[in-house]
Amino acid sequence: MDFIYYLPEILFGVLALVAVIWAVALVRDLRRGNYGEAGCIHCRGTAVKEGYGPCLFLLPLHFGETYDNSEEYLRTHLRPIYSKDQIPTGMRACWLEVYRCGRCDKRQVKITDFLEVRGEENVERTHVFDYESFRPLIDQWREAGISGVQPRKISKGIHGQADIRINRRGEF
């Protein structure tokens, strides 16, 4: 018998194996999400959320707007806010959570871009990036929260972009 004679069975077997591997990976990722874990982007180990809560950032985009080069755009356009009440109607925001891998001990950030509609968060995108590129933003958010700095006012700037004015102690 010829190799060509068994080719359909071989192809079916390979496709079935790929489907099983994909299903196992999907179930593993879903389980990790339910337990506050994520897959490490460096070594594919299990990364666990760090102790402090997620950081909230305003994203100067309205409903339906998109962005390219996600890492660069998010790093340069996220503005810290401290409650969901400070999100203007129709504007998007992001939750930023820090994860640490148990295997390689490296950190990563998970950014969930959402639009709040009628009190419900509609997730637009979820990104996972290296921690070091977002460290200045996280430090800025932490320092502002610790020092008592709270955003005073969010107003619409030019072309509908949000402009956050920070009220520091002793400043007007």
Side-chain angles (χ1 to χ4, degrees), residues 19-35:
V20 167
I21 292 171
W22 179 80
V24 168
L26 179 66
V27 168
R28 185 185 67 206
D29 287 343
L30 289 174
R31 186 193 63 80
R32 283 180 177 168
N34 290 338
Y35 294 110

Side-chain angles (χ1 to χ4, degrees), residues 1-56:
M1 301 233 183
D2 217 284
F3 171 74
I4 300 292
Y5 181 77
Y6 294 106
L7 189 60
E9 287 84 3
I10 292 171
L11 288 176
F12 179 77
V14 168
L15 289 175
L17 182 64
V18 168
V20 167
I21 292 171
W22 179 80
V24 168
L26 179 66
V27 168
R28 185 185 67 206
D29 287 343
L30 289 174
R31 186 193 63 80
R32 283 180 177 168
N34 290 338
Y35 294 110
E37 300 172 344
C40 179
I41 59 174
H42 303 286
C43 71
R44 297 290 177 209
T46 300
V48 180
K49 275 187 200 178
E50 289 206 337
Y52 54 89
C55 306
L56 183 61

Side-chain angles (χ1 to χ4, degrees), residues 14-100:
V14 168
L15 289 175
L17 182 64
V18 168
V20 167
I21 292 171
W22 179 80
V24 168
L26 179 66
V27 168
R28 185 185 67 206
D29 287 343
L30 289 174
R31 186 193 63 80
R32 283 180 177 168
N34 290 338
Y35 294 110
E37 300 172 344
C40 179
I41 59 174
H42 303 286
C43 71
R44 297 290 177 209
T46 300
V48 180
K49 275 187 200 178
E50 289 206 337
Y52 54 89
C55 306
L56 183 61
F57 291 91
L58 183 66
L59 190 59
L61 289 175
H62 290 85
F63 172 75
E65 296 178 342
T66 60
Y67 50 89
D68 293 324
N69 192 0
S70 302
E71 184 173 8
E72 182 65 28
Y73 184 84
L74 292 171
R75 228 177 348 144
T76 57
H77 288 84
L78 291 179
R79 301 292 171 249
I81 57 176
Y82 299 91
S83 75
K84 288 171 64 173
D85 296 337
Q86 297 172 328
I87 303 172
T89 303
M91 296 214 42
R92 291 175 24 198
C94 293
W95 288 110
L96 187 145
E97 299 171 304
V98 179
Y99 289 81
R100 183 182 296 271

